[in-house]
Amino acid sequence: MEQSSEAKQGQEKIRVLVVDDHELLRHGVSAILNRSPSIRVVDEAEDGQQAIEKCREHLPDVVLMDIHMPVLGGLEATRTIKREHPYVKILILTASDTEEMLFDAVKCGASGYILKSASPDEVIDSVRRVYAGEPVIPGNLAMQIISEFAKPAVPTVRQQVDPLTDREMQVLRHLSVGASNRDIAAALYISENTVRNHVRNILEKLHLSNRVQAAAYAIREGYVMEPPHDS
């Protein structure tokens, strides 16, 4: 399935920028990713400022971003990159999954995080998933983040958004319970590619950065899908 969806995109590899101030870890992650036939590391950066500059130069598909770095930290770099290149997916590299900054990273536009202790297969799979538009956030932390966003942290955008179509509202309701593209496609009898397009349109219309923010918006505005009976 992954191979066929990648083939549809013209056999182009997922272009990745790896950002971390520890040279050994940076090179190690790059080596792991370059072993995958579907991924190519286009460059590395050792701080947030370099990450911003190299994003402008290479326009990568995915950025693996450390949080704590000299010169400019990962949160500030994430905020700038998402403002300049909204469709670049950012995956946070972190040593701890309890770090409160992960909430801020999602608010800045990151699509999830991966532990630095993750296995090579997990690193590769996370990059593929985030590139496909899937959030890479474990269930326990995802619910905490969504709860946090359901508070006033998500801007009141109802007055300034474009109206969603009926189908987009169905997709949004599924997002509110953390459904994947595959789950939504099966429930609504549409293709995963169509789901991706709907999600992209929803984010644009609601002026949100990622699926987690969309789920929180749905909860806060009362668009939550009722238990299993929606299809």
Side-chain angles (χ1 to χ4, degrees), residues 29-75:
V29 170
S30 295
I32 288 170
L33 293 175
N34 279 328
R35 286 195 316 217
S36 169
S38 62
I39 297 172
R40 178 168 70 92
V41 175
V42 294
D43 210 339
E44 299 178 3
E46 61 184 32
D47 59 59
Q49 186 57 47
Q50 278 193 13
I52 293 169
E53 293 166 0
K54 293 193 174 187
C55 266
R56 291 168 181 161
E57 178 183 355
H58 297 289
L59 296 176
D61 300 307
V62 177
V63 177
L64 266 66
M65 179 79 73
D66 189 17
I67 289 182
H68 301 292
M69 295 180 290
V71 185
L72 188 70
L75 293 184

Side-chain angles (χ1 to χ4, degrees), residues 178-199:
S180 69
N181 286 353
R182 181 175 297 178
D183 294 336
I184 298 172
L188 300 180
Y189 303 102
I190 56 179
S191 71
E192 288 186 54
N193 191 54
T194 299
V195 173
R196 278 194 290 272
N197 289 337
H198 283 313
V199 171

